[in-house]
Amino acid sequence: SRRQRQMCIETVAKHKEAKGAYIFEELKKRNIYVRYFNKPRIDDYLRISIGTDEQMDALFAALEDIL
């Protein structure tokens, strides 16, 4: 059902080359909001929560463009 497909998937991610702040700002320009932690040792990580297939598709398309 549509309600089941809207459950939230959450992960913490780090790119091997791109900085977390850069990815965060680029996603924000595209109205895709993730959680950025501006703290030592975790400043390259983003917490990403996805609730729908459409949100996942938009995130993947934006990341392909950014990276």
Side-chain angles (χ1 to χ4, degrees):
S1 77
R2 181 159 175 80
R3 184 159 178 79
Q4 288 173 327
R5 289 187 311 194
Q6 288 185 336
M7 71 177 165
C8 182
I9 298 170
E10 189 171 290
T11 189
V12 177
K14 176 182 177 183
H15 190 268
K16 63 183 176 181
E17 297 172 4
K19 297 289 186 184
Y22 169 74
I23 298 170
F24 170 75
E25 291 297 333
E26 290 299 312
L27 288 172
K28 191 165 81 169
K29 289 177 188 176
R30 293 162 173 81
N31 294 317
I32 297 174
Y33 299 97
V34 298
R35 181 70 191 259
Y36 170 65
F37 302 95
N38 190 13
K39 305 244 184 235
R41 295 180 32 181
I42 60 171
D43 60 342
D44 279 335
Y45 290 87
L46 300 175
R47 187 179 75 204
I48 301 171
S49 301
I50 303 169
T52 66
D53 291 343
E54 292 81 17
Q55 289 172 337
M56 189 175 336
D57 292 342
L59 174 66
F60 288 157
L63 288 173
E64 284 181 3
D65 186 46
I66 293 166
L67 303 170

